[in-house]
Amino acid sequence: MNTEEKIFNAARIVFQKKGFAGTRMQEIADEAGINKAMLHYCFKNKQLLFEAVFMNAFSQLAPQINAIFNSDETVFEKITRFTHSYISFVLLNPFLPPFVIQEMNNNPEFVKTFFKNKNTPDPSQLIDQIKKEIALGIIKPVNPKQLVLDIFAMTVFPFAAQMMVKGILHVSDSEFNQMMEERKTTIAEQIINSIKK
Amino acid sequence: MNTEEKIFNAARIVFQKKGFAGTRMQEIADEAGINKAMLHYCFKNKQLLFEAVFMNAFSQLAPQINAIFNSDETVFEKITRFTHSYISFVLLNPFLPPFVIQEMNNNPEFVKTFFKNKNTPDPSQLIDQIKKEIALGIIKPVNPKQLVLDIFAMTVFPFAAQMMVKGILHVSDSEFNQMMEERKTTIAEQIINSIKK
DNA sequence: TTTTAGTTTAACCATCTGGTTAATATGCGA
DNA sequence: TCGCATATTAACCAGATGGTTAAACTAAAA
């Protein structure tokens, strides 16, 4: 692993744990086991290092999601596949959703430019497909955007609000993971069941 | 409005917008229109001022939620009432959910003490009631904790991940609020529909 | 009016933080 | 081996940041 990779991984760990504002460049350097000046040598400044980490996080998720959203499967198949593979992925990267959500909420102006230029999840094709399947009588008449929001809510929320969920439901880390394993299949069944005619 | 209230309100605004780490004491002082030394005179230090704001945020939500969870209504009535009143409340305080979730994720050790001592949302009675109604054949056999999690996910997520939701679904602020108005009734119907026998 | 307790402020301080610099180390082609 | 570009570091810097202090202001009691 070269220095740039060491820095990047260290930055990912620290940024995802403490957020942009809470992160100290020195802490990243310590985590990487190198001198602080190397951070600036390799990534210019804190903002650019952060953006590299943030973009990378998003670019891990976006293609996976879009591949599912834009495939030629049915809506039901897409819902099943999305929830399953998203939860599988996030169980391996549990800090990702809170990180992305937090930094988006804290940098609203950055979000606007971000969603115009970059490779982002785009459910517009799925939304069109939902409209079609409603017209065909496969799906009950629902607001397609609300349906997409429901799918994200059911899959992403438990990870986004991890600490609060564990606190309120009084579940341990392992119980939490077990619940998420269960959700891999139950969420899709539930959503499909509530919209199929 | 006395000085302490001015500071508290200013702190609430700044903390909820920028989070604990991103907040500068000077910015709170400016927002309150007073000298920075007054912050320390009234609230000792940043941590205590933050905790005052955080506890206040939670203490606005917790009793409302618990009043519903622990009433003598049916599960279906509770779901209907919770989703409706939570969304109504949060539409007036849209910064609350991201703020609470973010700070909980960033201070895991604080969360543990917090959930032991303080007045927090507690769904344990509701969970027992769900078990009973399942036994009575009113509700399909589901994991009660998963059901509670679903309810929170459907209501809280859109606010918690506000910026991301707006970005991904390409909705404006007013469209977003309109969607939330719609959700006040639809979520409950949907959840109830998926669990009633 | 004087005293006194509580408020409020300007100025200050130690420390932290992101970032720079100049010097040194490393490795590799000639 | 030498020369040179790249990689790495220790030391440093200016500005920001949380927090302190001592003085000044205010208002009500004595």
Side-chain angles (χ1 to χ4, degrees):
Chain A
M1 188 161 57
N2 67 26
T3 304
E4 200 164 319
E5 288 171 334
K6 273 196 261 178
I7 292 173
F8 185 87
N9 286 331
R12 192 167 39 79
I13 291 168
V14 181
F15 276 132
Q16 289 187 5
K17 188 154 69 185
K18 311 219 168 172
F20 179 80
T23 290
R24 307 298 130 193
M25 295 298 268
Q26 186 59 57
E27 195 176 347
I28 296 175
D30 293 344
E31 178 78 32
I34 48 96
N35 187 287
K36 183 163 67 89
M38 281 305 288
L39 304 184
H40 299 91
Y41 180 74
C42 293
F43 289 90
K44 188 86 176 164
N45 61 37
K46 189 184 180 185
Q47 182 66 36
L48 287 176
L49 176 53
F50 173 80
E51 283 176 19
V53 169
F54 188 88
M55 294 304 177
N56 176 269
F58 230 89
S59 71
Q60 287 185 273
L61 283 169
Q64 242 189 96
I65 293 175
N66 284 332
I68 297 173
F69 282 178
N70 299 332
S71 77
D72 55 4
E73 298 167 300
T74 65
V75 170
F76 294 165
E77 284 165 348
K78 286 181 182 181
I79 294 172
T80 305
R81 228 154 57 77
F82 171 77
T83 52
H84 194 284
S85 70
Y86 184 91
I87 292 178
S88 299
F89 176 75
V90 174
L91 275 173
L92 301 174
N93 305 271
F95 287 109
L96 225 54
F99 171 68
V100 170
I101 288 170
Q102 173 173 159
E103 298 307 329
M104 284 204 162
N105 283 329
N106 288 341
N107 304 294
E109 61 309 332
F110 172 66
V111 174
K112 277 166 196 155
T113 61
F114 177 75
F115 271 104
K116 273 168 191 161
N117 308 333
K118 304 293 172 178
N119 176 27
T120 58
D122 179 14
S124 55
Q125 192 176 315
L126 174 61
I127 287 173
D128 289 341
Q129 189 184 2
I130 292 169
K131 287 178 192 160
K132 276 179 206 149
E133 295 198 12
I134 291 173
L136 289 170
I138 301 170
I139 299 177
K140 283 183 192 169
V142 295
N143 181 330
K145 283 186 180 179
Q146 296 278 15
L147 176 56
V148 172
L149 180 51
D150 293 343
I151 295 166
F152 275 106
M154 296 281 275
T155 41
V156 181
F157 176 78
F159 298 96
Q162 224 162 124
M163 289 300 145
M164 201 182 71
V165 168
K166 286 173 183 167
I168 289 181
L169 293 181
H170 301 108
V171 293
S172 65
D173 289 3
S174 68
E175 283 177 277
F176 179 83
N177 286 354
Q178 212 175 311
M179 283 180 71
M180 293 309 112
E181 284 294 332
E182 204 181 316
R183 283 178 93 76
K184 278 188 193 173
T185 55
T186 52
I187 294 173
E189 290 168 13
Q190 206 171 318
I191 294 173
I192 291 169
N193 202 53
S194 78
I195 59 169
K196 76 155 175 257
K197 265 196 173 165
Chain B
M1 188 161 55
N2 66 28
T3 304
E4 199 163 322
E5 287 170 335
K6 273 196 261 178
I7 292 174
F8 185 87
N9 286 332
R12 191 166 40 80
I13 291 167
V14 180
F15 277 131
Q16 290 186 4
K17 188 155 70 187
K18 311 220 168 171
F20 179 80
T23 291
R24 307 298 128 194
M25 294 297 269
Q26 187 59 58
E27 195 176 348
I28 295 175
D30 293 345
E31 178 77 33
I34 49 94
N35 187 285
K36 182 163 67 87
M38 280 306 287
L39 304 184
H40 297 92
Y41 179 74
C42 291
F43 289 90
K44 186 88 176 164
N45 61 36
K46 189 184 180 185
Q47 182 66 37
L48 288 175
L49 176 52
F50 173 81
E51 283 176 19
V53 170
F54 188 87
M55 295 302 178
N56 176 269
F58 229 89
S59 71
Q60 285 186 274
L61 283 169
Q64 242 189 96
I65 292 175
N66 285 331
I68 297 173
F69 282 179
N70 299 331
S71 78
D72 56 3
E73 298 166 301
T74 66
V75 171
F76 294 167
E77 284 166 347
K78 285 181 182 181
I79 293 173
T80 305
R81 230 157 52 81
F82 170 77
T83 53
H84 194 283
S85 72
Y86 183 91
I87 293 178
S88 299
F89 176 75
V90 173
L91 275 173
L92 301 174
N93 305 271
F95 287 109
L96 225 54
F99 170 67
V100 170
I101 288 170
Q102 172 173 158
E103 298 307 330
M104 284 204 162
N105 283 329
N106 288 340
N107 304 293
E109 62 309 331
F110 172 66
V111 174
K112 277 166 196 155
T113 60
F114 178 74
F115 271 105
K116 274 167 190 162
N117 308 333
K118 305 292 171 178
N119 176 28
T120 57
D122 179 14
S124 54
Q125 192 178 313
L126 174 60
I127 288 173
D128 289 341
Q129 189 184 2
I130 292 169
K131 287 176 193 162
K132 275 180 207 148
E133 296 198 11
I134 290 172
L136 289 170
I138 301 169
I139 299 177
K140 284 184 192 168
V142 294
N143 181 330
K145 283 186 180 179
Q146 297 277 15
L147 175 56
V148 172
L149 180 50
D150 293 344
I151 296 166
F152 274 106
M154 296 281 275
T155 42
V156 180
F157 177 79
F159 297 97
Q162 224 162 125
M163 289 299 145
M164 201 181 71
V165 168
K166 286 173 183 167
I168 290 182
L169 293 182
H170 301 107
V171 294
S172 65
D173 289 3
S174 69
E175 283 177 277
F176 179 82
N177 285 354
Q178 213 175 309
M179 282 181 70
M180 293 310 112
E181 284 293 332
E182 204 180 316
R183 282 178 93 75
K184 279 188 194 173
T185 56
T186 54
I187 294 174
E189 290 168 12
Q190 208 170 316
I191 294 174
I192 290 170
N193 202 52
S194 77
I195 59 169
K196 76 156 175 255
K197 266 198 171 161

